[in-house]
Structures are given as C-alpha cells and as structure tokens.
Amino acid sequence: MKWPNVDPIRLHRPSAERQPNGLKTLWLVIAVIATTVAVAFLLYVSILFYA
C-alpha cells in the first residue's frame, strides 16, 4: 500500500505565517479582558468609596 504524500499532522498545524497573527489575537483578547477587569475594579472601588 502506497502512503499519500500529504502529512495529516502538518495539515492541521498552523503555518509559520499564521502563528504571529494568532499570537496577536491572543494578546488582543488578553488586553481586552485585562481592561474590562480594571474598569470593573475601579467601578467597584469607587462605589465602595463614595457610597
């Protein structure tokens, strides 16, 4: 039986060009979550301080 030339592991792995984009997306998600947490924390502290 002759094996196909296509490696299934390499097919599903992101290419070298797509990895930086994935990393940028990851950092963007982390930045958005961190900003949301910071705003929520500041809102919580201001409610505690002024109420």
Side-chain angles (χ1 to χ4, degrees):
M1 180 175 164
K2 186 178 178 183
W3 291 101
N5 289 335
V6 181
D7 187 2
I9 296 173
R10 286 194 182 166
L11 269 180
H12 299 295
R13 189 178 301 161
S15 64
E17 305 96 39
R18 289 183 54 205
Q19 279 181 343
N21 289 341
L23 200 59
K24 285 180 188 175
T25 306
L26 178 68
W27 279 112
L28 183 65
V29 169
I30 291 172
V32 168
I33 292 172
T35 304
T36 306
V37 168
V39 169
F41 177 74
L42 289 174
L43 187 63
Y44 174 71
V45 168
S46 64
I47 288 171
L48 282 181
F49 187 72
Y50 289 113

